[in-house]
Amino acid sequence: MKKRRLFVFDMDGTLLPKTTACLELARATRTTDRLEALEAEFAAGRIDTKGFAAAISRLWGQIAPGVVREAFDASPKLRNIREVTRAVTEAGGRTCLISMSPDFFTEHFRDFGFDFVYSSRFPRDGRPLDPDGILVPEDKPRLVRDLCASESFALEETVAFGDSMSDYPLFRCLRFTVGVNPDVKLEKLALATYRGDDLQGAYSIIGRLLEAR
């Protein structure tokens, strides 16, 4: 894996196994029941991604930074995230996290060594949420292509890690993809699959495939 590559990671369900930023924030703010009702609306197709984001923005308003930090720290995470970002850097690569979840949560992953973090922008000054700042699954390949162009990475050498259908658009445009505890549909599309609680394990799997080329 000595070739300079971009490694892209999903957050909800991937780096955060069996949970999401929204669920952890709902637990911290004691709004789990209301979040579950919104998720049911989304699952039924009565609201879309941007409508869901607007609803949780109204639900939570301005969450105190300390509450967000506590929710982030308490959330379950894959083991060895920092070790993997360090290994990528030492090999000359860069790491990128892309999530549709609120930026005030995802930005804390910069402490784990990620070079780039892209997520949905939520207002922090009381203004209404701007729908244009909310990411959808189709934004993932767009952001990766733009990043590859600006940082001189080869798209065909980029590696992605994800778990669900929100990663499907990105996995479709990349060759090197790893399903991390993936759902059935994404597993069929992924080049490799990892099941477990250690990001180093997923990184090692794709490493062996790259070295075998």
Side-chain angles (χ1 to χ4, degrees):
M1 290 199 290
K2 294 299 183 181
K3 182 177 292 188
R4 187 173 181 268
R5 289 185 175 87
L6 178 65
F7 287 75
V8 184
F9 299 82
D10 173 58
M11 184 185 71
D12 292 331
T14 303
L15 298 181
L16 303 180
K18 299 180 181 180
T19 191
T20 66
C22 287
L23 181 55
E24 296 303 315
L25 289 166
R27 287 171 176 160
T29 55
R30 299 181 181 180
T31 55
T32 302
D33 289 347
R34 296 172 69 182
L35 177 68
E36 289 175 348
L38 289 173
E39 289 180 335
E41 291 284 299
F42 179 78
R46 289 189 283 271
I47 56 174
D48 59 11
T49 300
K50 293 179 185 288
F52 180 83
I56 62 172
S57 181
R58 292 191 298 269
L59 173 62
W60 292 329
Q62 301 296 300
I63 303 178
V67 174
V68 176
R69 183 77 225 195
E70 289 178 5
F72 178 84
D73 290 343
S75 63
K77 303 173 187 69
L78 292 181
R79 293 185 291 121
N80 290 318
I81 297 174
R82 288 186 180 89
E83 287 73 12
V84 168
T85 59
R86 186 181 305 119
V88 170
T89 300
E90 290 174 352
R94 305 291 291 277
T95 53
C96 173
L97 183 153
I98 305 179
S99 173
M100 294 180 289
S101 286
D103 55 352
F104 55 80
F105 186 98
T106 61
E107 285 293 322
H108 288 294
F109 263 112
R110 290 189 183 275
D111 296 342
F112 284 70
F114 287 94
D115 298 298
F116 308 97
V117 176
Y118 297 102
S119 49
S120 293
R121 299 192 302 273
F122 278 67
R124 304 181 190 183
D125 55 5
R127 290 184 298 176
L129 181 140
D130 180 359
D132 291 339
I134 303 304
L135 298 185
V136 298
E138 290 73 22
D139 286 316
K140 289 190 174 186
R142 175 184 62 80
L143 290 168
V144 169
R145 289 190 183 98
D146 290 348
L147 188 55
C148 284
S150 65
E151 298 292 325
S152 299
F153 286 105
L155 182 66
E156 62 270 18
E157 296 291 341
T158 295
V159 179
F161 299 79
D163 76 299
S164 68
M165 290 305 290
S166 67
D167 302 299
Y168 200 91
L170 179 59
F171 274 41
R172 284 189 63 189
C173 75
L174 297 179
R175 177 182 177 187
F176 299 113
T177 56
V178 183
V180 180
N181 301 311
D183 62 26
V184 174
K185 290 184 178 179
L186 195 72
E187 183 173 9
K188 291 180 180 178
L189 181 62
L191 175 65
T193 296
Y194 170 77
R195 296 195 180 277
D197 64 355
D198 190 338
L199 188 59
Q200 185 68 57
Y203 181 68
S204 297
I205 287 174
I206 196 66
R208 289 193 293 271
L209 292 174
L210 293 173
E211 289 171 0
R213 292 177 63 211

